Structures are given as C-alpha cells and as structure tokens.
Amino acid sequence: MKIGVLALQGDFEEHINMLRRVGVEAVEIRLASQLEAINGLIIPGGESTTIGKLSVEFGLMEPLRSFGHQKAIWGTCAGAIFLSKDARRTQPLLGLMDITVARNAFGRQVDSFEVDLLIPALDTVASSSRPYHAVFIRAPLIETVQGEAKVLSQLEDGRIVAAQQGRWLATSFHPELTSDERFHRYFVEMAK
Ligand code: GLN
C-alpha cells in the first residue's frame, strides 16, 4: 500500500508524516508519471487557486482526473475545493466530486476554529466510538451534496463539513494537523 500526497503547495508534509505514523508508505507527488505507483492520493490544504494553477501548468489536470476514475482521492480543505465540481467561481477544478463548495465560508472573525464532530463512518476503523476533534482554517463549506455523494459529517447547525462519493473523500477541515489517526486510516481502507 502506497499513498501519494500532491506536493505542489500547502501542508503536504503533515499528511506524509501522518501516513507514515499509520504505517503506510507515503510519497510526494509532483509529476503525472508518479501517479502510476500509488494506490491513493491526498490533495492537501493550502490555497486552492494556487494548487489549481500549478496543476494546469504541470500538465496534471487530466492525469489526476483519470487517476481519480480508477483510484481513491481525498481532498482536505483547499484539496476538497479542487476535487469539487463547483466552487462558484472561476478557478481550475478537477470537477470529480458531486459537491458544491463555498470558499472561506466561515467569515473573518472565525477564520480558524476547532470543534468536536460526530463522524459515524470512522467507527469502522476504531475500536471505540468517540467525537472527532476537527481543525478548520479558512475553511470551505460543503454547500450541497448531489448524486452519489453522501454526507459524512455536519456541524451542529447542519452545515456539511465532510462527504464521500465512492472512493472520493472531501473534508473541510485538517485531519493531518491533529494526532487523531482515524481519518487517515479510513482513507487507507478506502484505497485498498
Ligand atoms: N481558503 C483556502 C482556499 O480557499 C483553503 C484554506 C485551507 O486549505 N486551509 O483555497
């Protein structure tokens, strides 16, 4: 099992470290040819416009899309925006996941916050059920989940912050910035 992390911009190193902690081989991905060797890909948080522009520049858009049609992709924060079909403004998107996202949806005062979430899906990779402590940094909101996409977690007021569509996963928050390994384990299972 080898998982790649798109390493154009953003906090890819934290994902690499977390993957190694859960015991899988982790590699930084910058070239289309490197996609052949991995079972799943994480697109990290950062700036979705930058990740998009660099992906266009490096000829990664089509290779990433065809990778996604065969294997697992998980986008965290900016990565979730990049994975979506619609971010309600013009920027390069992979357009794979049937979700609409709103960038920087939590406004200035609460640019960053942390909250405990209920994520029942994570019970499949843990021995006991407990809340998931999630870190949000200038986070997007998943406004709508359509078609085959399913809601994985919501804030108490119902706003969606995690979704899954087959082998694609999108989280508004940053599991790589906590010590909780459950989300990475969940993704590794998805990628098998
Ligand atoms: N605000 C960033 C964007 O819109 C995402 C922030 C993040 O990834 N932490 O792309």
Side-chain angles (χ1 to χ4, degrees):
M1 174 61 52
K2 199 192 261 191
I3 303 289
V5 184
L6 191 65
L8 302 176
Q9 189 265 339
D11 71 335
F12 50 88
E13 271 184 28
E14 286 80 357
H15 275 293
I16 297 266
N17 294 340
M18 186 66 117
L19 288 165
R20 290 185 179 148
R21 264 180 52 189
V22 308
V24 299
E25 213 180 317
V27 287
E28 294 178 7
I29 301 292
R30 292 188 182 83
L31 303 169
S33 59
Q34 296 171 312
L35 293 169
E36 281 160 35
I38 57 172
N39 304 93
L41 178 75
I42 297 177
I43 304 173
E47 200 54 49
S48 59
T49 43
T50 308
I51 293 173
K53 278 183 199 156
L54 291 172
S55 296
V56 170
E57 210 168 295
F58 297 153
L60 280 165
M61 295 299 279
E62 280 317 311
L64 287 172
R65 287 186 184 119
S66 58
F67 179 88
H69 285 297
Q70 295 155 51
K71 291 176 183 168
I73 301 190
W74 173 19
T76 57
C77 204
I81 298 166
F82 189 47
L83 200 52
S84 75
K85 280 208 168 136
D86 187 359
R88 296 206 283 114
R89 54 173 110 176
T90 311
Q91 66 183 79
L93 299 176
L94 291 181
L96 290 172
M97 258 184 102
D98 232 338
I99 55 174
T100 305
V101 299
R103 292 180 59 190
N104 306 322
F106 294 94
R108 278 180 179 240
Q109 311 87 313
V110 283
D111 257 358
S112 304
F113 62 98
E114 301 185 12
V115 72
D116 282 341
L117 296 172
L118 291 177
I119 311 181
L122 296 183
D123 292 352
T124 55
V125 292
S127 49
S128 67
S129 171
R130 60 180 198 284
Y132 187 90
H133 190 74
V135 177
F136 292 78
I137 303 167
R138 300 190 65 225
L141 194 63
I142 302 172
E143 283 191 319
T144 61
V145 161
Q146 288 129 294
E148 307 277 288
K150 306 238 167 354
V151 174
L152 279 193
S153 188
Q154 287 162 285
L155 297 174
E156 258 180 7
D157 61 10
R159 288 184 290 177
I160 304 163
V161 290
Q164 180 172 352
Q165 179 175 354
R167 287 174 189 262
W168 302 327
L169 189 60
T171 54
S172 299
F173 47 91
H174 289 267
E176 73 287 7
L177 298 182
T178 64
S179 57
D180 195 330
E181 297 166 1
R182 283 177 293 168
F183 242 110
H184 286 77
R185 290 191 190 282
Y186 184 74
F187 181 67
V188 170
E189 286 306 311
M190 271 175 61
K192 275 184 183 163

